[in-house]
Amino acid sequence: MLHGAGVLRIDHLPPLHGHLRVPSAALLPPLAFAALAVAALPALVTRLRFGAALLVSYGAALIWAVLLASSGEGLAWPFTHRQEYLAVLPAVGGDPLGWLASFTERLPAYPTHVRGHPPLPVLVLWVLARVGLPGPLPAALLAVATGCSATVAVALTVRRVAGEEAARRALPYLALTPAAVWIATTMDAFFAGVGAWGVALLVRGGTGGGLPGVLYGAAAGVLLGALPYLSYGLVPYLLVPVVAAVAVRVTRAAVVGCLVGAAAVTAAFAAGGFRWPAGVAATHVEWAADPGAARPYLYFLVANLAVLALLTGPATAAGLAVLTDRAAAVPAVPVGRTVARRVIAVGRTIAGRVVPVGRTVTGPVIPVSRVPNRLGAAAGPVRWPRGGVGALVAAAAVAVLALDVSGVTRGEVERIWVPYAVWISLATTAVPGRRWLAAQAAIGLLLQGLVLSPW
């Protein structure tokens, strides 16, 4: 109705930014792969050693994304658009520092995507061209390979925060995410990989002190500190590493290293002549003059979340419902009360024994003093475990809501939500099963087959 009234003039398939199309036989290869992956991937990631499971999942994520893109206009096609980052590389020429220093001043003359972002994406592609890999295809391969690597980085983070079993449960869903439709191919997939590895490095080295902790923290700081220079919309993303760091109790050495690494990125851009606040102000001016700023706020306040639901799939929605239910405060169970609840966290002790994941326990609750924890000491009041996965999901969800309410993300969020979608998709760990995984793959196939997207 809004489209017919002329309010959504630049959106032909709201809330998506694209056009409707008829599916073709080119979808058969990704359909066949999805069927194979749904049947085999959950068992593989369960039986293989964890390192091998990560490699298999990364390979599956790559194949899934590439096959989806190849069934349409091709992997590199989105980067051939005249409004993409590659179109501005001739302006950079052989003087990237000069271009950086004048970036804010010359912003109105640049393509749409460049005007809406800080300068780092262009500089990344400039470096790629300088090392002998110019053009749309190398840029697309970089974006897809880095974006799919978020599967590994997120799983490594989950392993530290919530245990290996939770990480293994997440891997098939991370690999067959519907967001793969936009991972192949947008630069936002590259942003997703950078952010995910920043979080993974922080929690990896954050539990050890000394020089290793500082080095891991510094590496994480460089990646996380680069995020605001890749996209202004990634500032709320920094809530994810904060929550992860609190969950694993990173050491002071890692925190110091992380802050130093992030400060080094800011200092480097400032020395090059780019001031982030000035860039934000200039981009806001360009955004206000763009037709996208005229989109109705209240409509996209809801529509943006609908797009996020498509990116993350029905299994994520079901998992969010489960996690939300568990997040409600649960009082300690009185002694002698009979209970029957499904145990989710790995290795949690119920009534003095370790209960396997997914096992339903029925029986009376014994006195608290008789419930030992892993160290053999008396445990506190028995509460049903909520785990660390929910905290990561909540952090990403809060970040998305902050962007949504701000009103600067009115439409075209398919790509913007990709870095957040990989974390919110962790809610799928609460609803494991091949049927949910098949539903995720089905949504990806439908999106690829029915929607002609510019990305």
Side-chain angles (χ1 to χ4, degrees):
M1 187 169 63
L2 290 172
H3 185 264
V7 178
L8 301 176
R9 291 173 295 173
I10 58 176
D11 300 292
H12 299 281
L13 191 62
L16 298 172
H17 188 68
H19 295 79
L20 186 66
R21 65 176 171 187
V22 178
S24 70
L27 274 178
L28 290 177
L31 174 61
F33 176 76
L36 177 63
V38 168
L41 194 56
L44 281 175
V45 300
T46 300
R47 296 170 184 170
L48 293 173
R49 295 165 63 177
F50 189 68
L54 291 176
L55 289 176
V56 168
S57 299
Y58 178 52
L62 278 173
I63 295 171
W64 175 235
V66 171
L67 285 177
L68 285 174
S70 300
S71 69
E73 288 65 41
L75 195 65
W77 176 75
F79 278 2
T80 63
H81 199 282
R82 60 186 178 85
Q83 297 298 336
E84 275 285 351
Y85 303 99
L86 289 174
V88 83
L89 290 189
V92 181
D95 185 19
L97 291 180
W99 178 82
L100 180 63
S102 63
F103 177 79
T104 302
E105 176 187 348
R106 299 181 180 178
L107 193 64
Y110 292 147
T112 301
H113 281 187
V114 178
R115 295 202 310 269
H117 289 79
L120 187 52
V122 172
L123 293 176
V124 169
L125 296 178
W126 180 85
V127 171
L128 192 66
R130 283 284 159 163
V131 299
L133 296 170
L137 183 57
L141 291 174
L142 173 68
V144 174
T146 307
C148 289
S149 75
T151 296
V152 177
V154 170
L156 288 171
T157 301
V158 172
R159 188 189 192 194
R160 288 275 172 173
V161 171
E164 186 172 308
E165 185 63 30
R168 288 179 183 271
R169 289 201 307 272
L171 280 172
Y173 292 99
L174 291 169
L176 290 183
T177 174
V181 173
W182 288 283
I183 287 176
T185 309
T186 67
M187 276 299 285
D188 294 78
F190 177 80
F191 308 162
V194 171
W197 280 108
V199 179
L201 287 172
L202 180 60
V203 300
R204 169 64 180 84
T207 54
L211 184 59
V214 173
L215 293 178
Y216 273 110
V222 169
L223 294 178
L224 296 173
L227 293 180
Y229 294 91
L230 288 169
S231 172
Y232 298 118
L234 287 174
V235 172
Y237 183 98
L238 298 176
L239 181 61
V240 176
V242 170
V243 168
V246 171
V248 301
R249 298 181 181 180
V250 298
T251 63
R252 185 176 300 176
V255 171
V256 170
C258 185
L259 293 176
V260 169
V265 175
T266 300
F269 274 95
F274 176 74
R275 303 295 191 272
W276 193 83
V280 172
T283 295
H284 184 74
V285 171
E286 296 301 313
W287 173 82
D290 189 84
R295 289 175 168 131
Y297 171 79
L298 291 178
Y299 171 77
F300 278 101
L301 187 66
V302 177
N304 287 344
L305 300 181
V307 174
L308 178 66
L310 290 174
L311 261 73
T312 55
T316 299
L320 285 172
V322 174
L323 289 176
T324 301
D325 179 60
R326 290 184 195 142
V330 180
V333 182
V335 172
R337 180 73 57 82
T338 298
V339 294
R341 294 296 297 268
R342 192 171 178 82
V343 178
I344 300 301
V346 179
R348 285 300 176 92
T349 303
I350 303 294
R353 59 195 177 93
V354 176
V355 183
V357 173
R359 181 71 57 80
T360 298
V361 179
T362 304
V365 176
I366 63 175
V368 168
S369 60
R370 296 183 188 174
V371 182
N373 61 21
R374 293 185 192 180
L375 299 178
V382 177
R383 295 178 184 270
W384 299 112
R386 293 188 285 272
V389 171
L392 294 174
V393 172
V398 168
V400 164
L401 288 174
L403 281 175
D404 193 31
V405 172
S406 73
V408 297
T409 52
R410 299 188 193 180
E412 301 184 48
V413 292
E414 296 94 319
R415 54 190 175 82
I416 297 172
W417 289 158
V418 167
Y420 299 97
V422 297
W423 295 101
I424 295 175
S425 294
L426 289 176
T428 56
T429 59
V431 287
R434 284 190 174 87
R435 286 183 299 176
W436 284 115
L437 187 58
Q440 295 290 93
I443 292 298
L445 289 166
L446 288 172
L447 287 171
Q448 180 63 34
L450 295 173
V451 180
L452 176 58
S453 171
W455 308 292

